[in-house]
Amino acid sequence: MVGQSPRDPSESRTTVLLEPFVHQVGGHMSMMKYDEHTVCKPLVSQELSFYESLPLAMRQFTPQYKGIVSVHLKKDSLGNPTLIASPSLQAESCGRLDNAISDSSVTIWHKCKWAASTGTSSEHTLVKWSHTQLTKTFKDSCPGKMLLRTDLQYHTDSLLEDANGNQPERNSHNPWGLHCHRQHLNRMSSKHNENKLHQFLLLENVVSKYNYPCILDLKMGTRQHGDDASEEKKARHIKKCEQSTSASLGVRICGMQVYQADTGHFLCKDKYYGRKLCPEGFRQTLRQFLCNGNHLRTDLLEPIILRLKALLSVIRKQSSYRFYSSSLLIIYDGQEHKENTVPLDNHLHFQKTNCTPSHGAHHSRADVRMIDFAHTTFQGSKCNHTTYDGPDHGYIFGLENLIKILQSISEGK
C-alpha cells in the first residue's frame, strides 16, 4: 500500500470497524477510532506531505504518523452506513470486500436520544457504535471513554443557538465528534457508492493514556485560510478572524472538554462558543479549562507553560512554514493525585501569596500537540502554492499571548 509505514498497528487484521472518536472536540472533519492507540482521518495530500517531511524538532509536538489505510463505506442489511478499514486491501481487490464482511461482525447499534429544548425527545440512529465484542471494548476502555460513550443524551439546539444567540450549556459529554461523524457518513453515502475505496491517515491517539482526557483545541495564528482558498472562502475566514480573538490574540478556542470532578461529567464548549469570546472571555475560559469544578489545577500550569515555551522555540526556527488553519491541543488527565489539589476556598490565598505550582514531577500529566495540517505550507511541499520566508509570525504571536495569559493565571492575577 502506498505510504504504508512498517509500524502499521494492525497488519494481522483483515478488516477493522471504525468507531467515532468520542474525544474529538473541534474541527469539521470526522476523526475515527482505529484502535486504542490510533485514530484515522480522511487523507489530504497536503497534510500527508507535512507528515512525510516533518522536521525532527517538531516530532515531539505532533501525533506520530503511522501510515495510510484504505477505508470502505458499507451499508448493513438495514441500509445503515458504516466505515470499514482494510489495512491489507489493495485498490484493485475492492470487489472482494463485500464477501469479507458480514453483518454479524457489526451488529450492535445504539440509538441516541436528541432532547429538544421543550423537553420532548425522539430517537435517531446516529452511528454504528461498536461490534459484537461490545462488552470487551467497554471493559478495555478508560473510565472517561465509558462516560462519554454511555451518556449520549444532548440537546439538538446545543449545536445551534437560541433566538438571543446564546448556546446552552452541555455538561454530560461532548457531542461534537458525533456531529462531525454523522455529517461525514451522510456526505460519503450521498457522494460515493459502496465499492469506492477512500484513503485515510493513521495517526497516534494522543489522549489514549489519559483516563479522563481534558482537551482544549486552539485554532492558532492570525490567518486561517490556506493559499488555495477561493476568494469567497478567504473573505469568510478573514471575517471570522477579525470578529474573534484570532485577530487580537492570534489564538481562538475551537473546542473544549474538561472533566468536572464534582458532577462526574465533562463540561464541553464548541467552536461557536469560542468565536464569540473577547480577550477577557478567552482568559476566563482558559481558566475554566484548568478548573475541575472543585479547584484550579495549579499543578498543571508550569508543565503546560514549559511545553508551550519549548514549542515556541521550535516554531521560531522553522523557516518557510505557515500553519494556516492548524490547531494546538492542550491535554491533561482529569483524574488527579490528591497532593496537587488547591480547594476553591483557598483561591484567595493562592492569589494573594502568588504561589507557584508544584515543580518537576508532574510534567507528564499535561501535553501540547499540534494537529490538522491540511493547509500547512512549506518550502519543498508537494502542494506548495507560495514560498514564504522566515517563521510563522501569526502562530508565534498566538503562542506568546497564550503563554502570557497562562502565566497571569499562575500568578493569580
Side-chain angles (χ1 to χ4, degrees):
M1 200 178 316
V2 178
Q4 187 65 53
S5 161
R7 297 184 301 271
D8 181 4
S10 103
E11 287 174 343
S12 61
R13 286 185 284 179
T14 53
T15 58
V16 180
L17 175 66
L18 298 181
E19 298 177 27
F21 180 57
V22 295
H23 295 305
Q24 178 177 355
V25 302
H28 64 276
M29 194 176 279
S30 177
M31 296 288 296
M32 306 296 295
K33 177 189 166 185
Y34 183 83
D35 63 29
E36 206 59 44
H37 302 287
T38 311
V39 295
C40 61
K41 63 188 291 193
L43 187 152
V44 175
S45 57
Q46 203 158 335
E47 185 161 35
L48 176 61
S49 178
F50 171 82
Y51 278 111
E52 287 181 333
S53 57
L54 186 63
L56 189 61
M58 288 185 64
R59 286 185 188 172
Q60 63 166 310
F61 295 106
T62 60
Q64 178 194 359
Y65 166 59
K66 299 188 176 189
I68 296 170
V69 68
S70 293
V71 172
H72 178 267
L73 181 75
K74 176 164 176 67
K75 292 184 180 177
D76 67 7
S77 56
L78 298 174
N80 300 305
T82 59
L83 290 177
I84 310 291
S86 307
S88 58
L89 188 68
Q90 299 300 326
E92 61 268 23
S93 65
C94 61
R96 299 203 308 267
L97 196 63
D98 286 331
N99 298 326
I101 303 160
S102 66
D103 285 337
S104 63
S105 66
V106 286
T107 51
I108 305 298
W109 278 81
H110 281 247
K111 291 197 172 182
C112 303
K113 291 182 179 179
W114 294 59
S117 52
T118 57
T120 60
S121 68
S122 58
E123 289 193 342
H124 301 273
T125 303
L126 185 63
V127 290
K128 176 86 74 168
W129 197 240
S130 192
H131 35 80
T132 48
Q133 288 184 308
L134 187 67
T135 308
K136 180 180 182 299
T137 303
F138 275 12
K139 182 169 65 69
D140 293 345
S141 293
C142 72
K145 290 173 188 166
M146 272 286 280
L147 174 66
L148 285 159
R149 287 183 180 188
T150 56
D151 190 357
L152 288 177
Q153 273 206 336
Y154 62 102
H155 298 281
T156 49
D157 59 2
S158 65
L159 292 174
L160 304 168
E161 288 172 350
D162 62 22
N164 299 320
N166 297 318
Q167 189 183 29
E169 192 91 337
R170 297 189 301 275
N171 56 10
S172 58
H173 87 296
N174 194 338
W176 188 257
L178 297 179
H179 165 73
C180 293
H181 179 67
R182 187 169 60 104
Q183 285 196 325
H184 186 227
L185 277 184
N186 289 342
R187 279 196 302 269
M188 288 182 74
S189 299
S190 60
K191 285 184 181 179
H192 306 293
N193 63 36
E194 286 192 44
N195 290 323
K196 181 170 173 59
L197 284 176
H198 306 266
Q199 298 280 280
F200 275 47
L201 284 179
L202 289 168
L203 299 168
E204 173 192 2
N205 174 3
V206 297
V207 304
S208 63
K209 64 183 176 182
Y210 300 105
N211 287 319
Y212 294 89
C214 299
I215 307 164
L216 185 66
D217 184 321
L218 300 167
K219 189 75 82 173
M220 300 300 294
T222 51
R223 168 183 156 174
Q224 299 304 328
H225 60 277
D227 288 334
D228 57 344
S230 64
E231 286 303 312
E232 184 271 332
K233 189 174 183 180
K234 181 178 172 180
R236 197 169 70 244
H237 279 286
I238 289 172
K239 187 177 180 183
K240 282 178 194 172
C241 287
E242 286 174 347
Q243 294 178 341
S244 69
T245 55
S246 290
S248 54
L249 296 175
V251 53
R252 77 169 180 258
I253 288 167
C254 224
M256 179 177 95
Q257 70 178 39
V258 54
Y259 182 66
Q260 301 294 279
D262 57 335
T263 63
H265 288 150
F266 281 88
L267 171 71
C268 303
K269 304 288 185 184
D270 63 25
K271 66 180 181 181
Y272 302 110
Y273 174 86
R275 279 183 201 166
K276 293 177 184 175
L277 296 173
C278 63
E280 178 56 27
F282 177 92
R283 183 188 179 282
Q284 291 300 331
T285 306
L286 204 56
R287 184 185 173 89
Q288 187 177 43
F289 173 66
L290 295 166
C291 188
N292 69 1
N294 295 324
H295 56 261
L296 191 68
R297 289 290 303 274
T298 55
D299 60 299
L300 298 167
L301 283 159
E302 184 184 49
I304 291 171
I305 290 167
L306 287 175
R307 187 115 169 105
L308 288 170
K309 284 181 174 178
L311 174 60
L312 178 59
S313 177
V314 169
I315 297 295
R316 281 176 172 154
K317 294 169 186 170
Q318 304 305 318
S319 183
S320 86
Y321 277 84
R322 294 296 179 271
F323 301 100
Y324 300 136
S325 200
S326 129
S327 281
L328 187 67
L329 299 182
I330 300 178
I331 315 159
Y332 69 89
D333 200 333
Q335 189 176 56
E336 60 177 329
H337 293 269
K338 290 182 179 177
E339 69 269 17
N340 293 320
T341 63
V342 178
L344 281 175
D345 58 4
N346 284 354
H347 275 181
L348 283 177
H349 175 70
F350 170 75
Q351 290 171 357
K352 286 175 185 174
T353 57
N354 284 338
C355 294
T356 53
S358 54
H359 288 271
H362 312 300
H363 289 196
S364 63
R365 290 190 192 148
D367 201 359
V368 169
R369 300 290 186 105
M370 302 172 75
I371 59 164
D372 295 343
F373 304 103
H375 301 285
T376 293
T377 181
F378 56 95
Q379 191 169 9
S381 166
K382 294 170 188 170
C383 314
N384 197 17
H385 295 272
T386 307
T387 300
Y388 296 92
D389 189 34
D392 188 333
H393 290 291
Y395 199 105
I396 289 169
F397 178 65
L399 275 177
E400 288 174 338
N401 282 314
L402 188 55
I403 291 166
K404 281 178 194 169
I405 293 167
L406 286 168
Q407 284 175 330
S408 74
I409 293 172
S410 176
E411 291 161 6
K413 292 177 182 175

